[in-house]
Amino acid sequence: MSKILIIEDEEAIADLEKDYLELSDFEVKIEHDGEKGLKNALKDDFDLIILDLMLPGMDGFEVCKKIREKKDVPILMVSAKKDDIDKIRGLGLGADDYITKPFSPSELVARVKAHMSRYSRLVGANPQQNDIVEIRGLKIDKTARRVYIDGTEKNFTTKEFDLLTFLAENPNHVYSKEELFRKIWNMESVGDIATVTVHIKKIREKIEYDTSNPQYIETIWGVGYRFKI
Ligand code: CA
């Protein structure tokens, strides 16, 4: 669901915009002043921002400029005066569209939809697929360096992540603790093969349903570990 942020101090207008956008299946958040609006716009990933020009505290010009310094999100500027729109254009703040009050809610929705499809075409033209390893309920996102088990994210340290990823990418192959230590830790590392044992234990606690009967990383007694395919 696409997320929209409305930065608008007039509550009645903000609520009306929200109602109409929600009817069109958008998820909407409202902020009533410029500073909070800016904070939210930078913190969260919105698909579009509807920004009123006249706001208490930091005005829409400033908010727009500050968002643009950090983000590419489409910004639809709302103004009560036509003159202001010329000013926004003249300043080159990077707003994507302008709408003057009063406007009909359906016009607003139409503009929002037009921008969404344009933006997703732009983004979609250069898709960046993350490199993912998926084995049964285990999902390793190598690009984001995140691990999920049945959709729930688990926190991994750098070495735990490297060790799990190495084993998962080389399944059905037994590696000795020495081999794993050499591959994951560099030669100068302080530590020994016991480090591998400790890390395997920690990884199992995160990914296995039953650590005494592992579904992913098997212990091959006297040899090492093998990732089950
Ligand atoms: Ca206003």
Side-chain angles (χ1 to χ4, degrees):
M1 196 190 273
S2 298
K3 274 167 72 183
I4 296 176
L5 174 65
I6 297 173
I7 310 176
E8 165 68 70
D9 58 318
E10 285 168 78
E11 283 184 37
I13 291 179
D15 290 344
L16 183 69
E17 291 175 355
K18 184 173 189 269
D19 288 348
Y20 270 83
L21 289 165
E22 282 178 348
L23 282 175
S24 292
D25 277 340
F26 292 109
E27 190 186 327
V28 182
K29 186 164 175 60
I30 298 174
E31 284 296 350
H32 293 296
D33 71 70
E35 263 144 47
K36 278 195 197 129
L38 173 65
K39 211 172 136 195
N40 245 289
L42 297 181
K43 192 186 76 191
D44 238 337
D45 279 330
F46 290 98
D47 298 288
L48 185 135
I49 294 171
I50 298 172
L51 176 61
D52 184 37
L53 193 57
M54 299 306 287
L55 294 166
M58 189 186 288
D59 68 18
F61 291 110
E62 195 65 22
V63 175
C64 182
K65 199 173 118 218
K66 291 220 152 76
I67 294 172
R68 258 306 156 265
E69 285 169 7
K70 301 259 166 67
K71 290 203 164 182
D72 259 350
V73 53
I75 300 174
L76 173 56
M77 286 277 235
V78 178
S79 164
K81 287 186 283 177
K82 259 205 150 42
D83 293 355
D84 284 335
I85 291 185
D86 295 332
K87 198 173 159 196
I88 301 166
R89 284 211 176 97
L91 286 170
L93 294 172
D96 297 83
D97 200 1
Y98 321 89
I99 191 166
T100 37
K101 286 179 186 169
F103 50 80
S104 72
S106 49
E107 190 192 346
L108 178 80
V109 172
R111 297 270 195 112
V112 168
K113 283 185 175 167
H115 276 281
M116 292 293 196
S117 56
R118 198 174 64 116
Y119 189 66
S120 52
R121 272 203 306 278
L122 284 174
V123 174
N126 186 19
Q128 290 191 314
Q129 286 279 309
N130 280 14
D131 193 356
I132 286 168
V133 181
E134 220 164 352
I135 298 137
R136 297 181 297 268
L138 173 68
K139 181 174 151 188
I140 306 170
D141 183 334
K142 290 177 66 186
T143 314
R145 293 187 66 90
R146 297 171 95 164
V147 179
Y148 303 85
I149 194 93
D150 294 331
T152 306
E153 188 172 6
K154 302 282 170 177
N155 287 316
F156 276 67
T157 65
T158 307
K159 294 299 180 199
E160 286 166 9
F161 182 89
D162 292 344
L163 182 56
L164 174 65
T165 305
F166 176 77
L167 288 169
E169 284 190 312
N170 297 282
N172 206 27
H173 182 130
V174 183
Y175 290 96
S176 68
K177 290 173 189 175
E178 289 84 356
E179 279 177 300
L180 291 172
F181 186 73
R182 274 203 306 276
K183 284 192 191 295
I184 307 301
W185 283 265
N186 58 44
M187 292 314 228
E188 299 89 69
S189 276
V190 180
D192 54 36
I193 58 167
T195 313
V196 177
T197 316
V198 171
H199 278 73
I200 292 283
K201 182 171 178 283
K202 286 191 177 150
I203 292 170
R204 279 181 175 152
E205 283 164 5
K206 292 171 195 183
I207 67 169
E208 299 288 357
Y209 301 102
D210 175 5
T211 50
S212 59
N213 181 26
Q215 301 301 303
Y216 295 106
I217 303 173
E218 295 174 278
T219 301
I220 311 300
W221 292 108
V223 188
Y225 301 102
R226 177 173 62 198
F227 197 96
K228 271 195 202 177
I229 192 132

